Amino acid sequence: MIRFAAPTTLAVCLSLLAAPPVRAQSEVVLWLTPEVGWLSAEHSKRVTAGGGSSESATTASGPTFSVNPSLGLRTRVLGGLLAGVEFEGVLANRGMIEGTIQPTPNGEPHDVWPGEWDLRDRFGIGVNVLLGLDSGGGSTQGYVFGGIRRMWSEFATSGVNPANGDRGERREQRSRRPATVGLGLLLQRGWRVDVRIGYSRSLTEWTEEIPGVLLDYGYSASAVTLSVGVGPPR
């Protein structure tokens, strides 16, 4: 799903920008959006050495918070639909998820050692498309939306050698790409208020090789988010 989300989203964005407005002019909107969420992550680690491999995975979860400025275009299409596209920035303020990987104590060279791990988002950019029924200038507007973000994140995993107690840690600055779907409600009471609830999911994987050992890391993350965007009056 996530593999095809970026080109699909881009194609929809271009089609919305090219569509001529019907019965009304297109509208450019600017939002400042605090967003809170609950992020759940699973970290998996596979060790391949000595002709065999072992794998261990654990989950952890916690709250997140960000502030997301966005700029968008909304227009009426096909006579009775309201469509839009928006580009957003994500300034993550809090969101470190911490867990502990469980060992595989089989006495083999490919055992997974116990250790702490964490995932922290730093900042990101994203694009969303939305589609709702044209309310004819009413004060309340419901819609569905979908999009994808590129988050610059920090991933860390560690292991403690059971033979001597030595601890090693790998910390990586990598990107993850959560795809999001959700529902929104636009309220126009002087200043405009945009309330959204969304669900997102991402998968980040990579491989590290050291002499005689192959390490495969995976971080699967999902989140439920609630955001309240505020924009200037029309």
Side-chain angles (χ1 to χ4, degrees):
M1 171 184 173
I2 295 175
R3 181 188 304 175
F4 301 104
T8 302
T9 301
L10 179 59
V12 174
C13 292
L14 293 177
S15 65
L16 290 176
L17 291 172
V22 178
R23 299 189 297 106
Q25 292 183 345
S26 298
E27 179 184 19
V28 176
V29 291
L30 177 66
W31 302 102
L32 184 62
T33 307
E35 180 182 273
V36 296
W38 187 261
L39 178 63
S40 298
E42 179 184 71
H43 170 44
S44 62
K45 179 164 62 175
R46 183 168 67 248
V47 179
T48 302
S53 66
S54 296
E55 183 173 2
S56 181
T58 57
T59 60
S61 58
T64 62
F65 177 75
S66 65
V67 176
N68 310 335
S70 66
L71 179 67
L73 174 68
R74 298 186 180 184
T75 185
R76 290 180 176 87
V77 296
L78 303 178
L81 296 176
L82 183 67
V85 57
E86 63 187 16
F87 300 90
E88 64 178 356
V90 183
L91 305 176
N93 187 278
R94 183 183 177 187
M96 176 180 280
I97 309 303
E98 299 177 286
T100 302
I101 201 77
Q102 298 300 316
T104 57
N106 299 316
E108 300 290 342
H110 50 76
D111 279 343
V112 177
W113 296 345
E116 298 174 346
W117 63 270
D118 61 68
L119 163 61
R120 181 202 298 268
D121 288 331
R122 296 296 188 180
F123 57 91
I125 56 175
V127 60
N128 297 308
V129 294
L130 60 92
L131 188 66
L133 292 177
D134 182 2
S135 62
S139 59
T140 303
Q141 177 82 54
Y143 60 89
V144 296
F145 73 93
I148 190 166
R149 290 176 175 175
R150 176 173 179 176
M151 299 297 301
W152 279 264
S153 306
E154 185 176 277
F155 302 86
T157 186
S158 65
V160 178
N161 189 336
N164 53 27
D166 288 345
R167 180 181 183 273
E169 181 183 75
R170 290 183 176 274
R171 188 166 294 272
E172 299 276 344
Q173 301 284 341
R174 292 181 176 268
S175 65
R176 70 182 189 96
R177 293 175 173 82
T180 304
V181 294
L183 301 172
L185 189 65
L186 175 61
L187 308 174
Q188 303 202 49
R189 307 283 197 275
W191 284 74
R192 290 174 292 181
V193 179
D194 193 323
V195 182
R196 298 183 184 183
I197 184 168
Y199 173 79
S200 66
R201 190 167 182 83
S202 69
L203 176 63
T204 307
E205 297 177 310
W206 71 92
T207 299
E208 298 282 351
E209 186 172 3
I210 59 178
V213 180
L214 193 65
L215 302 171
D216 292 288
Y217 300 108
Y219 290 79
S220 175
S222 61
V224 176
T225 57
L226 173 66
S227 65
V228 180
V230 179
R234 178 177 295 177

